[in-house]
Coordinates of all heavy atoms in Angstrom, one line a residue:
P135 N 28.7 89.4 48.1 CA 29.6 90.4 47.6 C 31.1 90.2 48.0 O 32.0 90.6 47.3 CB 29.1 91.7 48.1 CG 28.3 91.4 49.3 CD 27.6 90.0 48.9
L136 N 31.3 89.5 49.1 CA 32.7 89.3 49.6 C 33.1 87.9 49.5 O 34.1 87.5 50.1 CB 32.8 89.8 51.0 CG 32.6 91.4 51.2 CD1 32.8 91.7 52.7 CD2 33.5 92.1 50.3
K137 N 32.3 87.1 48.8 CA 32.7 85.7 48.5 C 33.6 85.7 47.3 O 33.2 85.4 46.2 CB 31.5 84.8 48.3 CG 31.8 83.3 48.2 CD 30.6 82.5 48.1 CE 30.9 81.0 48.1 NZ 29.7 80.1 48.0
L138 N 34.9 85.9 47.5 CA 35.9 86.0 46.5 C 37.1 85.1 46.7 O 37.4 84.7 47.8 CB 36.4 87.5 46.4 CG 35.3 88.6 46.2 CD1 35.9 90.0 46.5 CD2 34.7 88.5 44.8
P139 N 37.8 84.8 45.6 CA 38.9 83.9 45.8 C 40.0 84.6 46.6 O 40.1 85.8 46.7 CB 39.4 83.6 44.4 CG 38.8 84.7 43.6 CD 37.5 85.1 44.2
E140 N 40.9 83.8 47.2 CA 41.9 84.3 48.1 C 42.9 85.2 47.4 O 43.5 86.1 48.0 CB 42.7 83.2 48.8 CG 41.9 82.3 49.8 CD 42.7 81.3 50.4 OE1 43.8 81.1 50.0 OE2 42.1 80.6 51.3
N141 N 43.1 85.0 46.1 CA 44.1 85.9 45.4 C 43.5 87.3 45.1 O 44.3 88.1 44.8 CB 44.5 85.2 44.1 CG 43.3 85.1 43.1 OD1 42.2 84.5 43.5 ND2 43.4 85.5 41.9
L142 N 42.2 87.5 45.3 CA 41.7 88.9 45.2 C 41.7 89.5 46.6 O 40.7 89.4 47.3 CB 40.3 88.8 44.6 CG 40.2 88.4 43.1 CD1 38.8 88.7 42.7 CD2 41.2 89.1 42.3
T143 N 42.8 90.0 47.0 CA 42.9 90.6 48.3 C 42.4 92.0 48.5 O 42.2 92.6 47.5 CB 44.4 90.6 48.8 OG1 45.2 91.3 47.8 CG2 45.0 89.1 48.8
A144 N 42.2 92.4 49.7 CA 41.6 93.7 49.9 C 42.5 94.8 49.3 O 43.8 94.8 49.4 CB 41.4 93.9 51.4
H145 N 41.9 95.8 48.7 CA 42.6 97.0 48.2 C 43.8 96.7 47.3 O 44.8 97.2 47.4 CB 43.0 97.9 49.3 CG 42.0 98.1 50.4 ND1 40.7 98.5 50.1 CD2 42.0 97.8 51.8 CE1 40.0 98.6 51.2 NE2 40.7 98.2 52.2
S146 N 43.5 95.7 46.4 CA 44.6 95.2 45.5 C 44.4 95.7 44.0 O 45.2 95.4 43.2 CB 44.6 93.7 45.5 OG 43.4 93.1 45.1
F147 N 43.4 96.6 43.8 CA 43.2 97.1 42.4 C 43.3 98.6 42.5 O 42.7 99.3 43.4 CB 41.9 96.6 41.8 CG 41.9 95.2 41.5 CD1 41.5 94.2 42.4 CD2 42.2 94.8 40.2 CE1 41.5 92.9 42.1 CE2 42.3 93.4 39.9 CZ 41.9 92.5 40.8
D148 N 43.9 99.2 41.5 CA 44.1 100.7 41.4 C 42.8 101.3 41.0 O 42.5 102.5 41.4 CB 45.1 101.0 40.4 CG 46.5 100.5 40.8 OD1 47.1 101.1 41.7 OD2 46.9 99.5 40.3
I149 N 41.9 100.6 40.3 CA 40.6 101.1 40.0 C 39.6 99.9 39.9 O 40.0 98.8 39.4 CB 40.5 102.0 38.8 CG1 39.2 102.7 38.6 CG2 40.7 101.1 37.5 CD1 39.1 103.7 37.5
V150 N 38.4 100.1 40.3 CA 37.4 99.1 40.1 C 36.3 99.8 39.2 O 35.8 100.8 39.5 CB 36.7 98.6 41.4 CG1 35.5 97.7 41.1 CG2 37.7 97.9 42.3
L151 N 36.1 99.2 38.1 CA 35.1 99.6 37.1 C 33.9 98.7 37.2 O 34.0 97.5 37.0 CB 35.6 99.6 35.7 CG 34.8 100.3 34.7 CD1 35.6 100.7 33.5 CD2 33.7 99.4 34.1
A152 N 32.7 99.1 37.7 CA 31.6 98.2 37.9 C 30.3 98.7 37.2 O 30.1 99.9 37.1 CB 31.3 98.2 39.5
D153 N 29.5 97.7 36.8 CA 28.2 98.0 36.2 C 27.2 97.0 36.8 O 27.0 96.0 36.2 CB 28.4 97.8 34.7 CG 27.0 98.1 34.0 OD1 26.0 98.4 34.6 OD2 27.1 98.2 32.7
P154 N 26.7 97.3 38.0 CA 25.7 96.4 38.6 C 24.6 96.0 37.6 O 24.1 96.8 36.9 CB 25.2 97.2 39.8 CG 26.2 98.3 40.0 CD 26.8 98.6 38.7
P155 N 24.2 94.7 37.6 CA 23.3 94.2 36.6 C 21.9 94.7 36.8 O 21.1 94.7 35.8 CB 23.3 92.7 36.9 CG 23.8 92.5 38.3 CD 24.7 93.6 38.5
Y156 N 21.5 95.2 38.0 CA 20.1 95.6 38.2 C 20.1 97.0 38.7 O 20.9 97.4 39.5 CB 19.3 94.7 39.1 CG 19.3 93.3 38.6 CD1 20.1 92.3 39.1 CD2 18.5 92.9 37.5 CE1 20.2 91.0 38.6 CE2 18.5 91.6 37.1 CZ 19.3 90.6 37.6 OH 19.3 89.4 37.1
L157 N 19.0 97.8 38.3 CA 18.8 99.1 38.8 C 18.0 99.1 40.1 O 16.8 99.5 40.1 CB 18.2 100.0 37.8 CG 18.9 100.2 36.5 CD1 18.2 101.1 35.5 CD2 20.4 100.7 36.8
S158 N 18.6 98.6 41.1 CA 17.9 98.5 42.5 C 18.9 98.9 43.5 O 20.1 98.7 43.4 CB 17.4 97.1 42.7 OG 18.5 96.2 43.0
E159 N 18.4 99.5 44.6 CA 19.3 99.8 45.7 C 20.0 98.6 46.3 O 21.2 98.8 46.7 CB 18.5 100.6 46.8 CG 19.4 101.1 47.9 CD 18.7 102.1 48.8 OE1 17.5 102.5 48.6 OE2 19.3 102.6 49.7

Side-chain angles (χ1 to χ4, degrees):
L136 298 181
K137 189 176 182 181
L138 303 170
E140 292 182 356
N141 63 308
L142 293 189
T143 57
H145 314 306
S146 56
F147 288 89
D148 296 283
I149 193 171
V150 175
L151 190 157
D153 184 352
Y156 301 104
L157 299 182
S158 71
E159 182 167 1

